[in-house]
Amino acid sequence: MQAVYNIAEICARHGITDVVLSPGSRSAPLTLAFVRHPGLTVRVVPDERVAAFIGLGIAQAQQRAVALVCTSGTAGLNYAPAVAEAFFQHIPLVIFTADRPPEWIDQLDGQTIRQRNLYGAHAKGEFEFPVDTSHADAKWHAARIVNEAINLAQAAPAGPVQVNVPLREPFYPKAGEGIKYEQDVKITREQASNATLPPAEILNLRQQLRTAGRIAVVAGQQSYEPALLAALYEFAKARQVPVVADIITNVGEVATVQRQDIFLAGLSKEDKAGLKPDLLITFGQSLISKSLKLFLRDAAPAQHWHLQAAGEAADTFRSLTRVVRVPPAVFFQQLSEGATPDETLETGLAWQRAEAAAAEFLKQFFAADAQPFNEFSAFRHALAALPEATALHLANSMAVRYANILGLPQGKQIEVFANRGTSGIDGCNSTAVGAALAQPERPVVLLTGDVAFFYDRNAFWHNYPTPNLRVVLFNNHGGGIFRIIDGPRQQPELDEFFETRQLLTAENTAKDFNLRYFPVSSFSELQAALPVFFAAETGAAILEVFTDSKTNAAFFEEYRSAVKSAFA
Ligand SMILES: Cc1ncc(C[n+]2csc(CCOP(=O)(O)OP(=O)(O)O)c2C)c(N)n1
């Protein structure tokens, strides 16, 4: 078992600090190795779907790899949703799945499935740990692949990697026998490449920027990265280029355009023509704003450069002409100086005008009297009340969309997270719980709908306190989004088969998991509850905002038509 015990040592030496494990017997040697290692924080979470999303939340918060450990059988399959999310969001997870030895697969033994390559195309790689490590070569092989797995998970673009570990009995050390970690265990480090643009390429790109015509930068989902912010700020200032950013991009501090979801939904074709870039520069991953995506597809810029150091680059707008293989921060640093084409200045002004008009529109729209109690308005109050330096988690469905329209309160240094790799509703609570565990000193706030919330109630089923976690649950008793988006809302099957009414409230969940509970169903109750709810001393809590789905849909429709008439 020494080679198995060494796994924990190799993980620690590679800088992994956090492990999430789910109990089992087959995995016992891994469990003991990780738990007894002095350099690792191991948390135990029984539901593997939850465990993997908690791991993802921790990895996201710490910006480094997290190890997951589970037993054989369907345990590892339950990691799959988080594995897919990690794959598309480029989050490093190193997954150790205990397995039966190969001779016992498909022999009607219990808790045995086909675990090779369990995550298919959604893992960056899969490694099979040797079943017998008595030979020195096998021991070298064992240590080697653990190093390779960790390096692969962390190499750009980061992602999930599986190490399948077949184990024969005995699983437990004999009485009085301890676990040793070999200090001379093999460590192979991989350095991230420090790619920069060669001088000739800089000259070439400078020249192209000068003659490109109208330039615009559009950010995709990104983690918060100070070096990128600084470089992007310099680039945009020096070249007077508009920087368009949805809420999940974490570049709001330097973006000049953030209300695109509003004005692009309202502007006429002719007005939009004034915003079209000839050269589109993008970085990061997905966008939230459908209007922005459609606009860019329709705009068909003559050139589209995507900045991505490594990995497959998506042609999201069907106009990709160049992939620049350096980190975005490096590109912006190296190209910050240069003249701005007149056309870019003009487009920049057009974006600025639209941005200012949208900000004014939003203010006016919500200032109108006699709003019924509805979740869009309630959402706005919740956002405004967020504590300083919040890690804001936005669940899929309307939460992330409302937030993208409304924007963040200014100057509060809020970082935004959302499972937009796959846009699942299956791990939003768990990811936020992971974040709260990883950064106990920081407020973590999840804004979510009821279906996503109740789907993932097991997120709270573990023994670790999360006093910094607040969940604002917008309970409209169903998948409210289906009443709001075009398509389902026009179908006779809407109520039963799309929105799917459910009558749960979070009161019992709050009791079960010892969370403070604040139910509200009016603006005055909400306003009274928010300061208490967010106060640091309140501890882990759920604020349940009850609204009526039809009222929400009608109010959002009012918003939509107001946008249309304001920007027509
Ligand atoms: C795992 C998964 N299953 C199904 C969906 C499809 N889906 C998207 S939104 C949604 C309803 C979400 O409802 P809720 O969380 O209450 O938010 P609301 O729509 O009310 O804002 C569903 C079922 C999904 N995104 N992910």
Side-chain angles (χ1 to χ4, degrees), residues 449-455 457 473-480 495-496 498-506 544 546-547 549:
D450 50 289
V451 179
F453 175 83
F454 290 112
Y455 193 120
R457 268 176 294 183
L473 161 55
F474 294 87
N475 192 346
N476 52 36
H477 295 291
D495 289 16
E496 186 176 353
F498 291 97
E499 185 174 46
T500 313
R501 196 167 163 72
Q502 60 80 23
L503 295 173
L504 295 172
T505 81
E544 186 163 28
F546 291 103
T547 58
S549 181

Side-chain angles (χ1 to χ4, degrees), residues 262-263 265-267 357 361-362 364-366 368 376 554-568:
I262 302 172
F263 60 79
L267 288 177
F361 162 80
L362 211 55
Q364 301 278 338
F365 178 75
F366 283 103
F376 192 18
F555 187 80
F556 200 74
E557 197 49 41
E558 245 177 71
Y559 159 80
R560 276 180 174 144
S561 30
V563 167
K564 290 254 152 51
S565 41
F567 288 90

Side-chain angles (χ1 to χ4, degrees), residues 2-3 51 54 75 93 100 146 161 207 222 235 265 340 345 381 416 425 428 439 463 468 484-485 528 552 557 561:
Q2 188 57 53
I54 287 182
L93 296 177
R100 285 197 180 257
V146 177
V161 169
Q207 165 68 17
Q222 264 278 135
F235 178 89
T340 312
L345 288 173
H381 292 300
V416 180
I425 56 167
C428 302
Q439 298 186 310
N463 297 325
N468 53 333
I484 287 176
I485 56 174
N552 294 337
E557 197 49 41
S561 30

